[in-house]
Amino acid sequence: MIRRKMVAGNWKMNKNLYETRDLLREMVPELKDITYVDIVVCPPFVGLGVAVRETADTPIQLGAQNLHWEASGAYTGETSPAMLVDLCRYVIIGHSERRAMFGETDVSVNKKVKAALQAGLLPIMCVGETLEENKAGLTAEVVSRMVREGLKDLTALQATDVIIAYEPVWAIGTGLAATPDGANAVHRDVIRPILREMFGQLVGNGMRILYGGSVTPANAAELFAQSDIDGGLVGGASLKTESFVAIVKAAL
Ligand code: 13P
């Protein structure tokens, strides 16, 4: 099963309008001829408009970092799927920072995944265990629950549009990436079998599972060479042209 690799940059709460424009103007010439990997950049909501302009007619695709599941209404401060489809193709859902700091749960993640798909957005759904859970030997249990609950009630056809990102919380922003073997074991032996069980062999084998957590130019190639690591969701290293481009190229 050949899966097209993806490298997505999660800018988190970084870069104002001008910085967004300048960073993309630096990245575009370096990435404009790369067609063998899906390249996604996820700036904050307010930067999406300028990002649309800067990435027009380039292979760089855009994503948002969150959304609300309702289509419109009295939800102060929220952004609906229908608003995002005009700006981007992907949306990160259930990032561990949102689960830890903004009260997101498997239930809200599932609502958001369904709403995104309904609107025609491709969800990048994040799952991953904390350090305590990891130490307690609960990785498989926690990740399985997040995958099952997050993708609950989806049809196999819908699932083909979902990308999973395994991001162990202890590896995010710490410089301590999971080992290629360790990450691949979770992808291959925990997540993929659940996808196959839920959506059938063909769909389960075709869905992409990204790794995230301290991905750098130094470890990207070895991570991406693993059987079930289909690319990366990159935080810190996606904020600089040199490191992001090097990681994209490592996905060859
Ligand atoms: P870092 O690459 O900075 O560890 O962040 C990973 C991440 O959370 C991407 O969503």
Side-chain angles (χ1 to χ4, degrees), residues 10 12 95 97 167 171-174 212-215 233-237:
N10 174 9
K12 307 191 180 182
H95 191 281
E97 287 152 14
E167 298 205 316
I172 295 177
T174 59
S214 297
V215 176
L233 181 56
V234 187

